[in-house]
Amino acid sequence: MTVSTSPSAAAAYPTDPRAVLRRLLPFVAIVFCGMLSIGIPLPVLPAQVHGALGFGTVVVGWVIGIQSIATVLTRQYAGLTCDRRGVKTAVLLGLPAAVLAGLMNVAAALLPVDATGSLAILLAGRLLLGIAESLFLTGAMTWAIATVGVQNTGRVMAWQGIAIFAALGLGAPAGLWLLDRFGFVIAAAVAAGVPLPALAIVVFRRGIAPMAGGPRVPFWRVLGLIWQPGMALGLAAMSFGALAAFVTLYYAAHGWSGAGFALSGFAGGYILVRLFFAGLPDRLGGARVGLVSLAVQAAGQGLMFSAGSPLMALIGATVTGLGFSLVYPSMGVEAIRRVAPQSRGIAVGGYNAFFDLSLGVAGPVMGLIAAGFGYPAVFLSCGVAALVAMVLAATLKPAAA
């Protein structure tokens, strides 16, 4: 069942931050459970592809990055599904696809195929998981904005981001623990099961009908409206992509243990800032908050580049998370304010596409950098990308009223 909204519904939007959070909690839970299906395999797949199957770092980069390529290519479809068929439909399509993607990882290990065949199944599963993420994440975020109002866009993106990186941060060490204790098959099976609680929440929650009235802006025109904040986000997101794909191998190359905790440190710093400062982009403006955040992130990547111990690498990853924390909602506020309400699903999908494209490119590109110059050079490159993102944030023009 869906319910429609009207202009008068704006009066019902909460203004108290605690009331906003209460309305957001179901969507935070949906995103958290859905993203656990992505977080658990992140450190597990490189170990499987590189260790068990014997492929090199470039292939590892493609296995990690191809999911985001699939996501970016389906953001238009996800946005159109939200705007035309409703946000609940998008989420109901995405979460079961995430379950199936996890089961394909199980099949890759159990079916009697050689290393190449197993790799092909893993890649197919990653493609499906990318489509799933596009649908459930775009749907949940658009649904949440419609529930609490566009004036709370920054808070929506901040809390959805907490869910995303809490899932990724907890999923990474959980995935490594499952891999070490029970093996790849069990880790993959758990990843397949974690979206099911989110699916239960969605099934029993009323949807919101698409907003009527006014022309819908084509996807490519939306990208033209939001390219600058989107590109800033994409450049900043390369740091996370590098951590996700190569921190395990980076630690192993130095003979260090605890690689999963570097991702946890990133997520911990990320969540800490969001818990206390989630409303800053809405109050102070996305460009101002984003500029400071990017400077902190660049410093964290510098620490990762120069780290001489696992403690210093952990500190660098944590500082990176502290900085990156508000980049997503800051640039998101700037992006969403540039489009009309009836095209909000497309705008959310388009904005997230920059993030997806960044992760898709970061894997193979950083794999080449790692192969040619070593793992520290990966983080130096990401630090430079954050500095370029600072230029984009500093030159943003105010959104039209």
Side-chain angles (χ1 to χ4, degrees), residues 224-264:
L225 293 172
I226 67 173
W227 76 268
Q228 198 168 346
M231 185 65 71
L233 170 68
L235 288 168
M238 293 185 73
S239 298
F240 172 69
L243 277 167
F246 295 107
V247 72
T248 303
L249 302 178
Y250 172 65
Y251 267 59
H254 286 87
W256 300 337
S257 60
F261 291 103
L263 280 173
S264 295

Side-chain angles (χ1 to χ4, degrees), residues 232-304:
L233 170 68
L235 288 168
M238 293 185 73
S239 298
F240 172 69
L243 277 167
F246 295 107
V247 72
T248 303
L249 302 178
Y250 172 65
Y251 267 59
H254 286 87
W256 300 337
S257 60
F261 291 103
L263 280 173
S264 295
F266 175 93
Y270 184 99
I271 292 169
L272 182 66
V273 171
R274 295 239 173 149
L275 287 175
F276 293 100
F277 304 105
L280 285 183
D282 290 323
R283 295 202 308 268
L284 303 180
R288 292 172 61 189
V289 177
L291 188 62
V292 175
S293 299
L294 286 163
V296 175
Q297 179 184 336
Q301 288 297 277
L303 290 173
M304 289 288 293

